Amino acid sequence: MGYNLKKDYLLQNQVSQGNQQAFTTLFDRYHPRLFHFIVNLVKSREVAEELVMDVFLKLWLSRDMISTIDNFDGFLFKIAYNKSIDFFRAAAKDKTVADIIWERMEIPAQSYADAPLLMQEYENKLREAIDLLPPKRRKVFDMSREEGLSHSEIAETLGISKNTVANTIVEAKQFIRSYLEKHYGLAGLVVLLAYLLEEK
């Protein structure tokens, strides 16, 4: 087999054993190509980035069987294609396309006491990011995430429009995600998100 195929096969074996560094290497090798492939399909850089993250999330969650994949390149792009089709199906039904990454970042408060050290570190970083938000943005975000209030309830309480509430929450999420990516890297963030899924 060629050099790249042989290298990928070695990395696949390492990832199947839970090697996060090997996963990061595969992530760095394939992320640009997968992103380019998906963005050409969905025509949205933001959606494409989330779908690429979801591809690698699936890869990490399926790591036990990754060493058995002969055509790894084809395997990844098939997942990417299927994720893109799922996106179009959801959009075609006029349903709001869920912010998959964000939903997986949130964990129930009652689970904190039993959370492993990794998750406590994650929660600390998440709290750090929230605390760095401008006061008004943090207030809106906390009312949504911590108090579970709807956009309408927040708007009425603060005397602002629902659009302002929605835009403020989007901006807050974008900042927090960027902050976490800065500290963990995209590949590391995928591992953390996968860990959250496995804990549920």
Side-chain angles (χ1 to χ4, degrees), residues 25-41:
T25 300
L26 280 177
F27 182 96
D28 291 340
R29 283 165 62 85
Y30 282 94
H31 180 279
R33 290 173 56 206
L34 287 173
F35 176 80
H36 181 72
F37 173 74
I38 294 177
V39 80
N40 281 334
L41 291 173

Side-chain angles (χ1 to χ4, degrees), residues 114-177:
D114 299 324
L117 181 61
L118 178 65
M119 293 318 306
Q120 187 60 56
E121 177 188 347
Y122 169 84
E123 174 60 20
N124 290 340
K125 286 297 180 186
L126 179 59
R127 191 70 249 176
E128 282 180 18
I130 294 173
D131 289 342
L132 287 173
L133 293 170
K136 291 182 179 179
R137 189 176 299 174
R138 184 172 68 245
K139 176 65 174 177
V140 171
F141 181 78
D142 281 339
M143 290 176 73
S144 173
R145 181 178 187 270
E146 304 294 344
E147 300 176 33
L149 299 181
S150 68
H151 289 189
S152 296
E153 291 170 329
I154 296 172
E156 183 177 351
T157 300
L158 299 181
I160 57 180
S161 70
K162 288 194 295 183
N163 284 340
T164 298
V165 172
N167 291 336
T168 299
I169 292 174
V170 167
E171 291 168 354
K173 289 179 178 181
Q174 289 174 341
F175 172 81
I176 292 169
R177 177 175 172 178

Side-chain angles (χ1 to χ4, degrees), residues 74-140:
F75 175 77
L76 278 186
F77 279 88
K78 183 172 180 59
I79 295 176
Y81 177 79
N82 289 338
K83 293 294 181 184
S84 299
I85 294 301
D86 288 343
F87 166 77
F88 284 122
R89 284 174 177 164
K93 295 177 181 177
D94 293 325
K95 292 181 179 179
T96 300
V97 180
D99 186 347
I100 301 174
I101 299 299
W102 183 260
E103 292 301 323
R104 287 170 180 168
M105 285 165 59
E106 299 185 14
I107 54 179
Q110 63 266 26
S111 70
Y112 291 173
D114 299 324
L117 181 61
L118 178 65
M119 293 318 306
Q120 187 60 56
E121 177 188 347
Y122 169 84
E123 174 60 20
N124 290 340
K125 286 297 180 186
L126 179 59
R127 191 70 249 176
E128 282 180 18
I130 294 173
D131 289 342
L132 287 173
L133 293 170
K136 291 182 179 179
R137 189 176 299 174
R138 184 172 68 245
K139 176 65 174 177
V140 171

Side-chain angles (χ1 to χ4, degrees), residues 41-60:
L41 291 173
V42 302
K43 309 303 182 185
S44 166
R45 297 182 66 84
E46 181 178 344
V47 171
E49 186 60 59
E50 292 189 358
L51 293 180
V52 171
M53 292 282 281
D54 211 33
V55 170
F56 282 100
L57 183 64
K58 180 177 178 65
L59 179 65
W60 179 257

